[in-house]
Amino acid sequence: MKLLVTGGAGFIGSNFIHYWTKKYPEDVIVNLDKLTYAGNLENLRAVENSPNYKFVQSDIADEKPVEKLFASEKFDLVVHFAAESHVDRSILESDVFLQTNIIGTHNLLRAALKSKTRFHHVSTDEVFGSLEKTDPAFNEKTPYDPRSPYSASKAAADHLVRAYFHTYGLPVTISNCSNNYGPYHFPEKIFPLFITNLLEGKKIPLYGDGEAVRDWLYVEDHCSAIDAIIKSGKIGETYCVGGNSEKSNREATDRILELLGKGEEMIEYVADRPGHDRRYAIDATKIKNELGWEPAVSFEEGLKKTVEWFQNNEAWWKNIKSGEYQDYYQKQYGK
Ligand code: NAD
Ligand code: DAU
């Protein structure tokens, strides 16, 4: 198979490329990524010289290069990760979220339609809104109720993907996944920010009362869920993917502090995120019953592995925090 992976230089996309090349070494992967602040080719060092891997730097919101790429390569499958992904950034500056997440997705859909290329869209549980403590978890039938510019733009993208299935018969699948964590997680998100701050001896900013809840999934489990959907998912269907591992931010923070041997005096309670979604939780019954997928890594094991990864890969996150990682493309490709 020849896959187009968009956003493959980001957190989940790069983990997916590592997962896929290990499991299906005969497949060819073209990684289309703009290399925004969140794209880092250092995540892909292990595959960059493989004859079955190619990197293309381009913006999915630019229609022409996307069309050209589809015309010059015959893809069997698109796995679409590329997005602006950070809620706090969407609150400060939403324009680029609309450009990439909506217009970019639409450009890819239109190009995929010309060649009827199978399209897997990677989406988020945030499109369903916010749960109260006792509400049942989100499932595939939960009505959309996005509440941040990020989640609204992802919801729009999901609707466009479904529209291309119903209107034009494009073979699509969608996954709506809960919070991921693991290697190569960009240190603006809560876990990598807190782990790296603590490794640097800095305080960690917990929003509001620290009682917002997220459902955590180790990133490799997200990759195996996408794999199951690609291989056995039903065309036109959506699958909710989650870790069955709800933790309040304070609970998760306490585990991180414990793993790093630090005390709660490192926590700094700061102003809450505007419109902060209180709780996300996924009911992953459908993907379990229909595709036999379940998470393999427990929260305790995944968090331990993640903390160890950040301890062992100091250069990776220090380069990001200092801004040096953005020179890598130039060094590698001489552009
Ligand atoms: P990320 O921010 O780490 O990576 C995004 C990647 O997309 C980067 O490499 C970036 O350079 C690239 N990109 C951004 N704009 C682009 C553009 N216009 N053209 C081409 N490339 C562009 O994001 P992530 O956390 O890896 O998330 C990947 C996908 O998974 C996103 O669609 C996100 O909505 C979804 N998702 C994330 C999570 C999570 O917990 N991180 C959970 C569920 C779903
Ligand atoms: O649910 C899936 C989503 O998970 C993905 O769609 C998003 O792309 C991804 O970024 C993530 O969104 P969250 O907003 O849940 O992740 P974030 O790490 O930004 O925040 C997690 C929780 O931690 C949230 O309740 C806000 C809180 N937080 C976050 C940061 C960055 C803090 O308390 N302090 C912080 O410094």
Side-chain angles (χ1 to χ4, degrees):
M1 270 216 298
K2 191 185 224 182
L3 286 75
L4 174 66
V5 174
T6 71
F11 163 47
I12 308 175
S14 60
N15 275 284
F16 180 80
I17 290 175
H18 290 303
Y19 169 96
W20 201 271
T21 49
K22 263 182 224 134
K23 191 158 175 196
Y24 307 107
E26 69 288 356
D27 283 356
V28 173
I29 293 184
V30 176
N31 171 17
L32 166 63
D33 199 296
K34 183 182 175 183
L35 297 184
T36 67
Y37 78 94
N40 184 357
L41 288 175
E42 293 207 31
N43 300 1
L44 294 158
R45 273 196 192 201
V47 297
E48 69 191 4
N49 294 320
S50 156
N52 284 349
Y53 169 80
K54 185 162 108 183
F55 173 67
V56 176
Q57 187 181 24
S58 191
D59 183 343
I60 58 167
D62 283 350
E63 188 187 340
K64 289 283 174 275
V66 170
E67 261 180 18
K68 236 173 105 185
L69 183 65
F70 275 80
S72 63
E73 310 257 5
K74 171 80 191 85
F75 299 117
D76 299 298
L77 169 70
V78 178
V79 189
H80 176 35
F81 293 95
E84 286 294 333
S85 70
H86 193 40
V87 174
D88 292 332
R89 286 180 187 256
S90 82
I91 294 166
L92 294 171
E93 175 62 75
S94 52
D95 295 48
V96 69
F97 284 73
L98 274 57
Q99 279 301 320
T100 291
N101 299 359
I102 306 176
I103 304 296
T105 301
H106 187 242
N107 284 339
L108 290 166
L109 287 167
R110 195 165 36 199
L113 183 62
K114 280 199 181 150
S115 46
K116 287 259 184 233
T117 308
R118 166 88 191 271
F119 195 99
H120 181 73
H121 176 59
V122 181
S123 191
T124 168
D125 59 0
E126 300 204 12
V127 297
F128 301 123
S130 178
L131 295 168
E132 296 301 329
K133 234 182 190 152
T134 54
D135 286 342
F138 302 131
N139 65 35
E140 292 76 7
K141 294 201 166 72
T142 305
Y144 275 40
D145 184 22
R147 292 156 34 101
S148 73
Y150 162 67
S151 53
S153 67
K154 289 296 289 188
D158 292 14
H159 292 321
L160 283 167
V161 174
R162 277 193 202 98
Y164 266 67
F165 168 69
H166 290 295
T167 308
Y168 307 113
L170 183 70
V172 307
T173 41
I174 299 178
S175 47
N176 292 94
C177 188
S178 65
N179 286 63
N180 285 213
Y181 66 103
Y184 306 116
H185 204 180
F186 196 85
E188 66 184 349
K189 309 283 165 68
I190 185 169
F191 284 9
L193 178 72
F194 283 15
I195 295 167
T196 57
N197 271 14
L198 290 168
L199 289 172
E200 291 179 304
K202 291 185 188 154
K203 293 220 169 199
I204 50 179
L206 198 51
Y207 294 169
D209 62 4
E211 292 305 319
V213 170
R214 297 293 183 263
D215 174 2
W216 291 99
L217 181 72
Y218 192 63
V219 63
E220 217 171 83
D221 280 330
H222 188 184
C223 297
S224 69
I226 295 170
D227 184 6
I229 297 166
I230 287 168
K231 298 287 175 181
S232 324
K234 203 169 149 214
I235 296 301
E237 295 275 313
T238 289
Y239 296 88
C240 282
V241 180
N244 204 13
S245 193
E246 285 184 56
K247 303 278 173 247
S248 73
N249 291 334
R250 176 61 205 245
E251 264 178 289
T253 299
D254 284 344
R255 293 288 81 73
I256 292 171
L257 287 167
E258 215 173 276
L259 284 164
L260 287 169
K262 305 274 184 186
E264 65 177 354
E265 70 282 357
M266 297 308 286
I267 300 175
E268 190 175 2
Y269 281 93
V270 298
D272 210 354
R273 171 183 282 173
H276 196 169
D277 288 340
R278 195 64 175 163
R279 174 177 163 238
Y280 304 142
I282 284 279
D283 173 356
T285 307
K286 176 178 172 181
I287 188 167
K288 181 180 175 196
N289 288 351
E290 293 185 13
L291 308 184
W293 176 88
E294 275 188 285
V297 181
S298 70
F299 182 74
E300 289 67 31
E301 187 191 347
L303 194 61
K304 188 165 175 284
K305 287 209 292 194
T306 302
V307 166
E308 281 167 6
W309 190 87
F310 279 91
Q311 284 173 319
N312 295 331
N313 289 276
E314 207 175 88
W316 181 86
W317 57 264
K318 284 205 163 155
N319 269 349
I320 291 178
K321 284 193 154 179
S322 72
E324 267 180 49
Y325 72 110
Q326 283 169 325
D327 299 338
Y328 185 74
Y329 181 73
Q330 193 166 7
K331 280 185 216 135
Q332 180 66 13
Y333 292 89
K335 289 184 192 164

